[in-house]
Amino acid sequence: MTASRVTIKDVAARAGVSKGAVSLAFNHKPGLAAATRDRIFAAARDLGWAPDTTARSLAGARVDVVGLAICRPARMLGLEPFYMEFVSGVESVLSERSCSLLLRLVRSVEEEAGLLDSWWKGRHIGGAILVDFRADDPRVEVARRLGLPVVAVGHPSLTGGLTSVWTEDGEAVAEAVRYLAALGHRRIARVGGAAALGHTEIRAAAFAAASSASGLAGAAQVTTDYSGDAGARATRSLLSAAAGDRPTAIMYDNDIMAVAGLSVAAEMGLSVPGDVSLLAWDDSQLCRLTHPTLSAMSHDVHGFGAEVARTLFGDGGSHAVATPVLTPRGSTAPPRQGPSM
């Protein structure tokens, strides 16, 4: 029996109570013994049932816990400023509503799909925030089948009609390419994130299109896992090319890789921005503590997390937040030999 076919009558029959008793239990109303309430919840879990009022929205509902699963190694998550800022933004809204965040690290989206099913049927969460969407993401079907209230952090082309909040990554990448081209760079490289991620595909396509529109025949792209080590390896490979083939500007999909790239350039005896310009994504404190300071595509990650949480509680439907804005600093300048390079 699937969740979509189960009714309150089925749950009542399974638990040996009336439909009214089921309604009292799920609306947290008094009048039921603890053992009866537990029996009703157990019957609902066994049948995979959730009341429609809970499944439609968190607006006006009594919610204690919101779930968030992230597919990242624990060590890397602790080093990545983006998710720390994002989670703090989410928490700022949840704390106002006396809610908690249940955070879990997973190894795959398939594992997360199973976790969402378990969380919801076990009544551990009242809703969830989904991040890092892939093409044909299995979590879309799970959320629909369960009637689980979610907000998907990703472009609507990836999120299968779920309520979504996103940044216009393609527009931001195009702006960065146009900026570097206007400085005179003709060999620009991009060190991207994981190839399987939907936003990586969006950024890669935007980079290729903007490079072509700007007449940049030497544009190159490399995918990584977002770590500093991977960013360093990609940078070293790009900068080891012959002088006539070496990129004069590199943009990175996060700040950790850009900082690692800055260290590699120094290690190889190259000056920034004299020999190579560097541009980071996600303007964290890291970008302002380096020498030179890193130019970056800036956006309010804390505010982004807060907006996602507000949307989960029914404060608006799917929408884009502001496009990341270019913030030039000391790591970008015209190429040393001018536009003819």
Side-chain angles (χ1 to χ4, degrees):
M1 185 176 290
T2 65
S4 61
R5 295 172 186 165
V6 176
T7 68
I8 189 172
K9 181 179 178 180
D10 298 317
V11 176
R14 178 76 165 246
V17 299
S18 68
K19 291 192 294 183
V22 176
S23 180
L24 287 175
F26 276 89
N27 285 296
H28 303 279
K29 300 293 186 182
L32 293 175
T36 302
R37 193 182 302 272
D38 290 344
R39 193 165 71 250
I40 292 169
F41 288 156
R45 284 197 300 270
D46 290 344
L47 295 174
W49 180 83
D52 289 343
T53 53
T54 302
R56 281 197 297 267
S57 173
L58 295 188
R62 177 176 173 176
V63 178
D64 296 317
V65 180
V66 170
L68 171 62
I70 300 175
C71 189
R72 289 281 197 284
R75 177 181 291 273
M76 182 177 170
L77 186 67
L79 297 173
E80 192 166 17
F82 173 86
Y83 271 117
M84 297 301 99
E85 281 290 303
F86 179 80
V87 168
S88 72
V90 170
E91 285 276 22
S92 71
V93 173
L94 297 187
S95 63
E96 293 172 356
R97 299 173 185 259
S98 299
C99 294
S100 300
L101 181 69
L102 178 57
L103 177 64
R104 181 74 62 84
L105 302 185
V106 295
R107 290 164 293 184
S108 67
V109 287
E110 290 76 19
E111 180 182 346
E112 183 182 348
L115 180 64
L116 291 172
D117 188 277
S118 173
W119 274 350
W120 180 247
K121 290 180 179 177
R123 296 192 59 79
H124 299 302
I125 61 173
I129 295 168
L130 310 182
V131 299
D132 286 344
F133 273 78
R134 279 84 165 160
D136 302 317
D137 199 294
R139 295 171 295 175
V140 173
E141 188 277 330
V142 170
R144 285 175 173 167
R145 171 172 55 82
L146 296 175
L148 172 64
V150 301
V151 169
V153 181
H155 193 272
S157 63
L158 302 167
T159 56
L162 300 176
T163 298
S164 305
V165 180
W166 68 96
T167 56
E168 294 289 2
D169 287 9
E171 293 181 16
V173 168
E175 180 188 3
V177 171
R178 289 192 295 266
Y179 163 71
L180 293 171
L183 289 178
H185 293 279
R186 292 295 174 266
R187 295 191 304 278
I188 301 174
R190 172 179 164 269
V191 177
L197 294 176
H199 64 261
T200 298
E201 293 184 10
I202 289 172
R203 294 181 190 183
F207 179 84
S211 298
S212 177
S214 298
L216 307 180
Q221 301 194 66
V222 181
T223 56
T224 68
D225 62 4
Y226 283 116
S227 69
D229 287 344
R233 285 194 298 272
T235 303
R236 190 172 291 108
S237 176
L238 289 166
L239 296 182
S240 294
D245 298 322
R246 192 172 64 207
T248 62
I250 305 174
M251 36 190 303
Y252 298 84
D253 265 18
N254 72 1
D255 39 16
I256 294 177
M257 294 194 296
V259 171
L262 183 62
S263 296
V264 168
E267 168 195 311
M268 298 178 70
L270 300 173
S271 69
V272 176
D275 294 313
V276 60
S277 288
L278 304 181
L279 176 64
W281 197 283
D282 297 327
D283 188 12
S284 72
Q285 283 290 335
L286 285 178
C287 297
R288 297 183 284 278
L289 294 174
T290 59
H291 181 75
T293 53
L294 285 166
S295 297
M297 301 306 297
S298 307
H299 65 118
D300 181 3
V301 178
H302 180 276
F304 183 43
E307 183 67 15
V308 168
R310 283 192 290 267
T311 303
L312 183 62
F313 283 92
D315 297 346
S318 295
H319 62 284
V321 298
T323 301
V325 176
L326 179 67
T327 303
R329 295 198 183 97
S331 67
T332 50
R336 181 166 284 169
Q337 296 180 32
S340 61
M341 286 184 67

